[in-house]
Amino acid sequence: MTNWKVGALINGAIEAVTGPAAQDRPGAHEWMVWQGTAADKAEALQCAEKADPRVDLEWMRIRYERDLNNR
């Protein structure tokens, strides 16, 4: 399990990051959707969908298809 941060940018993009990339998140032009431990990016994105109804997993499936189809 790894600590993940899922943030939404002002342009509507959803981003899941971990490690050093997550250190200074959220930035000035984003808000935190979900933060916690998950096994991988797909699980982090699914947790974000449950935490915030503005996160649309179907839209993310198109954007992160390889990650989400591995489940």
Side-chain angles (χ1 to χ4, degrees), residues 56-68:
D56 180 1
L57 188 59
E58 288 307 312
W59 179 85
M60 288 189 300
R61 189 173 306 282
I62 294 167
R63 184 171 178 149
Y64 299 105
E65 187 170 351
R66 290 174 299 209
D67 295 327
L68 296 176

Side-chain angles (χ1 to χ4, degrees), residues 5-65:
K5 289 185 178 181
V6 178
L9 306 177
I10 59 170
N11 68 2
I14 302 293
E15 199 169 50
V17 293
T18 188
Q23 193 72 279
D24 296 325
R25 291 298 190 51
H29 300 291
E30 63 186 353
W31 74 90
M32 189 61 52
V33 175
W34 177 83
Q35 180 176 346
T37 58
D40 55 19
K41 182 184 268 187
E43 184 179 346
L45 291 170
Q46 288 171 341
C47 290
E49 181 190 33
K50 292 175 188 171
D52 190 331
R54 293 175 290 186
V55 177
D56 180 1
L57 188 59
E58 288 307 312
W59 179 85
M60 288 189 300
R61 189 173 306 282
I62 294 167
R63 184 171 178 149
Y64 299 105
E65 187 170 351

